[in-house]
Amino acid sequence: MDGPYRDLGAGFARLTGVEGARRGPSRITHVEDALLELVRNARDAGAAHIYVASTLRDRRYRTLTVLDDGHGIPESHTDLILEPGVTTRHLNPVTEPGDASLPTHGAGLSLYQIKSLSVEIRVLSTSSPTSIRATFDTNTIPERTLQSPTRPSHSNLRATLEHFTERTNRHSHRLHTYYGTPARILATLLHHRIIQRRRESAGLREEALALGLGVSTRSVQRILRGEVLPVEGVSAEESTGGTGRRRVGGGVDGGPVLELGEEESGRITDILRRAARAGYMEVEDVRLERRPGEISLRARVYEPEEEYE
Ligand SMILES: Nc1ncnc2c1ncn2[C@@H]1O[C@H](COP(=O)(O)OP(=O)(O)OP(=O)(O)O)[C@@H](O)[C@H]1O
Ligand SMILES: [Mg+2]
């Protein structure tokens, strides 16, 4: 008679019949659910760092590349892990720290489900770093509706990662997670020496593409020149930079009001825009407030997710 699983070697097994069904699939209905499963896998592989590169093409196709520095996947089992019921957690299902609502981990179904729901999923690198890339058609598997109207399609994936990181770290792990465009994630991987700095851009670009990071030659050159900043960790406690609001010069009462014509304001906006683009950011809603003895400038800074290659 068949047992609850079949041994596939290298610590892997295929759950059979009732056992697979009993553990049940974690239901993936949104892109965020898929991201969560990918990062759970990375964490459970012992990763201390997880990097998520995200792009949205044609406002429709979301590509997530999840890289981690965990123990990796045996070369021989790369294709098998996308099959249903294939798992290394058959003896020790993982319960989610701090969230009883999430189902026990270890049915060997998440990657299979993602494969069924996505346009494509590929294991691009089996270790150092491990890289898995998945592309979703958001018309088929949507992203959760936004809480923030100003950050379309950006906030929920990042927030998913943030909640996951904070929840994990509340229970003894020291996990660092990063989220950004492929170019900024590549800059971060170099900064953290997850991949080695090369002097020539062609070789680095090839390496990036092989890891599932779609970056242009121009982006790679900018990265090598130090013009693309690494991203900061997603969890709130990790971000540095203080409160982000510093008042220069203290309060000033009275004093003259600086008049700025449309041309001057336009030029200031232009300078900001150029400075932002050099770091793969955009600015909008630039507001110059003129008060007696003081002028203040406020703008929204964000990272566009579309890659213009
Ligand atoms: N980033 C990774 N690093 C190392 N091994 C991985 C990684 N991602 C997946 N795996 C391996 O692939 C197996 C299958 O993953 P999958 O997410 O499909 O199932 P599972 O994690 O075992 O169970 P569940 O369906 O609850 O997620 C895992 O058990 C693990 O051994
Ligand atoms: Mg899993």
Side-chain angles (χ1 to χ4, degrees):
M1 216 183 91
D2 272 351
Y5 61 83
R6 229 170 265 156
D7 196 340
L8 298 175
F12 282 81
R14 189 193 303 275
L15 297 179
T16 53
V18 281
E19 182 58 13
R22 195 181 66 77
R23 292 191 185 185
S26 42
R27 292 205 53 81
I28 297 173
T29 57
H30 292 78
V31 176
E32 286 82 358
D33 306 330
L35 173 63
L36 186 60
E37 292 305 333
L38 292 170
V39 296
R40 283 170 97 182
N41 283 345
R43 177 201 59 200
D44 296 338
H49 299 89
I50 303 176
Y51 304 86
V52 180
S54 170
T55 60
L56 184 66
R57 190 164 45 84
D58 302 335
R59 303 205 143 262
R60 175 166 172 187
Y61 297 99
R62 170 72 64 188
T63 297
L64 297 173
T65 306
V66 178
L67 302 115
D68 74 74
D69 62 355
H71 59 57
I73 305 154
E75 204 72 57
S76 49
H77 289 63
T78 318
D79 294 331
L80 274 175
I81 63 169
L82 301 176
E83 292 183 10
V86 175
T87 183
T88 43
R89 314 187 213 289
H90 47 300
L91 300 177
N92 297 303
V94 183
T95 44
E96 195 60 27
D99 193 339
S101 72
L102 281 170
T104 307
H105 205 37
L109 286 172
S110 293
L111 291 179
Y112 171 70
Q113 270 212 326
I114 294 172
K115 185 172 115 182
S116 320
L117 290 164
S118 63
V119 178
E120 186 194 51
I121 177 165
R122 283 182 65 186
V123 179
L124 290 161
S125 171
T126 53
S127 67
S128 312
T130 308
S131 174
I132 298 183
R133 183 184 64 194
T135 299
F136 303 91
D137 178 351
T138 58
N139 285 357
T140 315
I141 167 165
E143 297 187 350
R144 294 223 155 77
T145 5
L146 309 164
Q147 269 93 58
S148 159
T150 53
R151 306 206 74 190
S153 75
H154 193 87
S155 51
N156 281 315
L157 288 163
R158 196 177 197 287
T160 299
L161 194 57
E162 188 173 334
H163 292 153
F164 168 79
T165 309
E166 282 170 2
R167 205 174 57 227
T168 298
N169 285 340
R170 247 183 270 136
H171 297 266
S172 84
H173 286 75
R174 279 308 318 153
L175 183 65
H176 304 273
T177 56
Y178 305 86
Y179 182 90
T181 59
R184 293 204 64 198
I185 290 297
L186 179 59
T188 313
L189 291 172
L190 285 167
H191 185 65
H192 292 177
R193 299 182 195 283
I194 299 282
I195 60 179
Q196 296 314 309
R197 186 167 288 275
R198 294 170 184 253
R199 232 154 267 132
E200 35 94 41
S201 53
L204 179 57
R205 177 160 186 253
E206 230 170 77
E207 191 174 350
L209 295 180
L211 286 174
L213 299 172
V215 283
S216 64
T217 305
R218 203 171 119 264
S219 303
V220 173
Q221 286 162 349
R222 298 179 101 144
I223 291 168
L224 287 173
R225 288 201 299 268
E227 291 171 8
V228 179
L229 294 177
V231 293
E232 289 187 9
V234 297
S235 79
E237 67 187 86
E238 266 197 65
S239 52
T240 51
T243 62
R245 252 190 235 190
R246 191 156 56 97
R247 202 168 162 138
V248 184
V252 188
D253 283 324
V257 174
L258 176 63
E259 287 305 330
L260 287 174
E262 239 172 60
E263 198 196 326
E264 283 98 351
S265 306
R267 277 204 226 150
I268 292 170
T269 306
D270 240 34
I271 292 171
L272 281 179
R273 195 156 283 150
R274 262 184 283 140
R277 288 196 176 146
Y280 282 83
M281 287 168 269
E282 293 284 348
V283 285
E284 63 176 30
D285 296 338
V286 179
R287 257 173 295 165
L288 286 158
E289 279 166 33
R290 293 160 297 125
R291 286 184 292 271
E294 187 174 63
I295 182 156
S296 76
L297 191 158
R298 272 191 82 114
R300 193 173 82 81
V301 182
Y302 66 99
E303 286 172 12
E305 282 193 273
E306 305 265 8
E307 275 281 290
Y308 302 102
E309 297 285 48

